[in-house]
Amino acid sequence: MPSSLCRASKATLASLALVLLSLVSNPAFARPTPPTIEQLAAFPAMSSFTVSPDGQHIAALQARGEDRVILVWRTDAMNAPPTVLSSTQMKIQTVQFVKNDVLAVQLWQPYDYRGERIIRTFVSKLYFTDLEGRNWREPLPLPRATSDAEEEAQARTSPAVLDILPNDPDHVLLVNNVGANAGDVYRVNVHTNQAERIQRADERVGGYETDLTGALRARSRAVTTGAPYIITEFRNASGVWEEHFRSYARDRDLTEVIGFTSDPNIALIRTNVGRDKAAIYEYDVAAHARRDVVFEHRMFEATTVRIDRNAGPNFGEIVGVVYDGPRGNDVRWTAPRYQALDQAIRTALNITPEPITFVDPANGDRVNSRYDSNLYYDLVSATPDLSTVIVALEGPNRPRAYYLLRNGQLNLLAETYPQLDRAALGRTSWTYYRARDGLDIPAILTTPSPDLCGPGPYRSVIHPHGGPWARDEMRFDYSMWVPLMASRCMAVLQPQYRGSDGFSRRLWTAGD
């Protein structure tokens, strides 16, 4: 090789090396860093944010290694050190305000159940406590156990909150889950721990629905003999429970009560009877008659409504409707004040919907729409007047970050997993694939980051959900399986296979 050409080649290579070195050293072009197993397995740094109804306090969980503590701040002094509540015997799992000065805390611990053999499992307990953590108490006083077996059962179970009764400063409704009184409903004073039973159990009752005043108005009962079905009953003016609907599992005809309007005679029901996808209707209880459609979605099943239950001029107003979209529990706000709040949050957080095509599994119809595919928010907790709101910003490949909206200012509170490099978690999209019989199957596809893994093709994993009467949601996967695989350069497909619910009767029954 001539020496002049050799010198030119060396100069070119040296220049190229400098360019490559500058790209590597430039953070904008840095190769993403895959998360470690320890980072993925850790508790979120902060989680479970909740605001008191009067807006004066905020509580949340903070991870400290294998344990978590509760932090409580005054909203007018967020820069001051918070009060710290901890547990030495059980691990804290969630926290939520039930009253201005009372927190409901879910705790858990490992437990060895000793029957014919030892089964290693977990036990979960609900406790109420004040904002300083001085007085921890089980929310429902139980009678003294009459046997070792009953004592063990009481230690392993705790009541469920049926209704926090937002307009009552002292009481909540709880359902007992243990002993001879399992299934009984109690009205409990959260300050004195006094409990009044307001409904005796029926062994077949699956759940209750309260009206806007907190009165028990509807319930479901399961019948398992013969062809299994569920009965929906309403309590009439005389206090007698009357049957209104039967939902047979074999037919997949479902009717359930999801709430009540400000008129106690008008319930809100969700039903798919005579339809491919469930819709929400008004229901005249006295007349046993279905009335107008409140909400239906062309491509997905309607699930519930958001109702303002707080005393005041908006009491009983439907502020939003909810459907089983790609994220599940997708909300469409209907009240003007919530629509204004929605627009303000979207603008502040730079959330922009993207083009998307939805396909109806029932008939193959396609609809071009716009959807918050990569970035979205949830209203986590708020005061009745919306003066103090906790917002969670999230994406399918972005762990949750919490913001506080107060006095017109939106400020970051905390990130759940600040140690994760989001650029290493890939990209998730909503898609469909055509099965051999022509059925369009919804699916969630996560592909690795090209900056981390190159352009592909990639190793692929089919990651089905459980159930089968269940579904996946296009949200961040806090089980960390999808982030783990995507950051290891695997494409992950989560099929919403035949038998998955929430999309259509046809896809649901196709699982048979």
Side-chain angles (χ1 to χ4, degrees):
M1 179 181 292
S3 59
S4 60
L5 182 57
C6 183
R7 288 194 296 271
S9 297
K10 289 180 179 178
T12 301
L13 290 174
S15 299
L16 180 60
L18 289 174
V19 170
L20 291 175
L21 181 62
S22 67
L23 291 178
V24 171
S25 61
N26 186 344
F29 296 93
R31 184 175 182 269
T33 303
T36 66
I37 299 298
E38 290 75 17
Q39 289 174 329
L40 293 172
F43 285 129
M46 297 291 299
S47 60
S48 201
F49 277 88
T50 177
V51 62
S52 61
D54 60 9
Q56 293 187 15
H57 293 89
I58 287 176
L61 298 187
Q62 182 187 55
R64 296 186 177 180
E66 290 296 309
D67 296 308
R68 286 185 276 191
V69 298
I70 301 170
L71 305 183
V72 180
W73 296 267
R74 287 193 59 88
T75 51
D76 59 1
M78 292 296 294
N79 292 328
T83 302
V84 180
L85 286 63
S86 61
S87 171
T88 58
Q89 298 189 6
M90 299 186 73
K91 293 182 180 292
I92 299 174
Q93 187 173 19
T94 63
V95 62
Q96 182 184 8
F97 276 99
V98 291
K99 303 298 176 188
N100 289 326
D101 56 350
V102 178
L103 294 167
V105 183
Q106 197 77 37
L107 302 102
W108 66 276
Q109 68 181 32
Y111 176 78
D112 290 344
Y113 176 73
R114 300 177 182 273
E116 294 182 358
R117 60 189 179 92
I118 297 176
I119 301 175
R120 303 192 69 179
T121 181
F122 299 91
V123 61
S124 180
K125 300 288 286 187
L126 178 67
Y127 281 85
F128 288 162
T129 187
D130 56 86
L131 304 191
E132 290 77 34
R134 295 172 181 168
N135 181 16
W136 292 78
R137 56 198 180 277
E138 293 198 49
L140 185 62
L142 295 173
R144 182 182 297 275
T146 58
S147 66
D148 291 343
E150 187 174 350
E151 183 177 5
E152 182 183 42
Q154 289 182 359
R156 289 190 291 110
T157 60
S158 63
V161 177
L162 174 63
D163 194 327
I164 64 170
L165 303 178
N167 300 312
D168 185 327
D170 297 311
H171 296 90
V172 297
L173 297 185
L174 300 176
V175 181
N176 179 34
N177 288 329
V178 64
N181 298 324
D184 290 1
V185 181
Y186 292 83
R187 187 171 181 263
V188 178
N189 189 307
V190 298
H191 297 108
T192 67
N193 230 36
Q194 292 182 325
E196 173 193 5
R197 182 167 54 193
I198 63 173
Q199 176 66 46
R200 287 187 177 274
D202 181 316
E203 62 180 8
R204 293 178 174 176
V205 172
Y208 293 93
E209 188 69 35
T210 57
D211 64 17
L212 299 185
T213 68
L216 295 179
R217 292 294 314 284
R219 69 182 185 184
S220 60
R221 298 174 65 240
V223 177
T224 56
T225 55
Y229 60 92
I230 295 175
I231 299 172
T232 300
E233 299 176 325
F234 287 91
R235 175 179 263 166
N236 63 24
S238 302
V240 177
W241 292 98
E242 296 179 333
E243 178 180 337
H244 282 242
F245 309 109
R246 287 191 179 187
S247 300
Y248 283 88
R250 66 187 179 195
D251 300 328
R252 302 296 208 286
D253 280 342
L254 170 70
T255 301
E256 59 182 344
V257 182
I258 61 169
F260 286 82
T261 68
S262 54
D263 180 346
N265 185 56
I266 303 300
L268 296 170
I269 62 171
R270 175 181 181 266
T271 182
N272 68 346
V273 174
R275 310 175 54 98
D276 180 70
K277 299 173 185 61
I280 296 171
Y281 295 83
E282 289 185 343
Y283 181 75
D284 189 318
V285 179
H288 290 235
R290 192 168 76 180
R291 292 179 27 173
D292 297 336
V293 173
V294 174
F295 173 62
E296 59 185 338
H297 196 286
R298 176 179 173 184
M299 306 301 287
F300 299 100
E301 298 217 289
T303 53
T304 190
V305 297
R306 301 281 180 89
I307 301 177
D308 191 333
R309 294 188 59 198
N310 301 288
N314 301 309
F315 178 74
E317 178 187 18
I318 296 177
V319 301
V321 293
V322 186
Y323 64 98
D324 249 338
R327 288 193 300 277
N329 293 321
D330 286 2
V331 181
R332 182 180 298 170
W333 300 111
T334 56
R337 64 190 185 282
Y338 278 84
Q339 291 174 337
L341 177 64
D342 171 71
Q343 188 56 53
I345 292 172
R346 296 172 64 83
T347 300
L349 297 178
N350 197 28
I351 299 175
T352 304
E354 299 181 347
I356 192 171
T357 299
F358 294 127
V359 182
D360 189 344
N363 52 32
D365 285 352
R366 304 171 70 87
V367 171
N368 295 322
S369 185
R370 296 183 67 82
Y371 186 76
D372 297 335
S373 299
N374 294 311
L375 202 60
Y376 48 85
Y377 81 91
D378 293 313
L379 289 185
V380 174
S381 186
T383 55
D385 61 0
L386 301 181
S387 62
T388 303
V389 178
I390 296 176
V391 178
L393 178 69
E394 191 180 79
N397 315 105
R398 177 189 179 120
R400 178 166 285 200
Y402 291 95
Y403 290 80
L404 175 63
L405 177 60
R406 182 174 170 84
N407 299 324
Q409 299 294 319
L410 187 68
N411 296 305
L412 178 66
L413 287 170
E415 295 190 18
T416 51
Y417 287 93
Q419 72 274 26
L420 299 187
D421 184 353
R422 297 198 298 267
L425 304 183
R427 181 180 175 86
T428 298
S429 60
W430 187 257
T431 188
Y432 299 84
Y433 60 89
R434 182 66 59 85
R436 287 173 296 178
D437 61 358
L439 190 64
D440 291 291
I441 309 292
I444 301 168
L445 176 64
T446 300
T447 52
S449 164
D451 294 334
L452 175 66
C453 304
Y458 308 109
R459 296 174 296 162
S460 300
V461 174
I462 308 300
H463 185 42
H465 61 72
W469 291 6
R471 56 157 292 174
D472 284 319
E473 299 171 349
M474 198 174 74
R475 293 177 172 269
F476 188 82
D477 177 22
Y478 289 98
S479 77
M480 294 300 182
W481 282 112
V482 174
L484 171 70
M485 291 185 282
S487 64
R488 269 60 181 174
C489 299
M490 304 176 194
V492 183
L493 185 74
Q494 297 169 267
Q496 308 310 294
Y497 52 81
R498 295 170 180 82
S500 301
D501 61 13
F503 299 101
S504 70
R505 181 193 294 265
R506 182 182 179 190
L507 184 67
W508 191 16
T509 57
D512 296 348

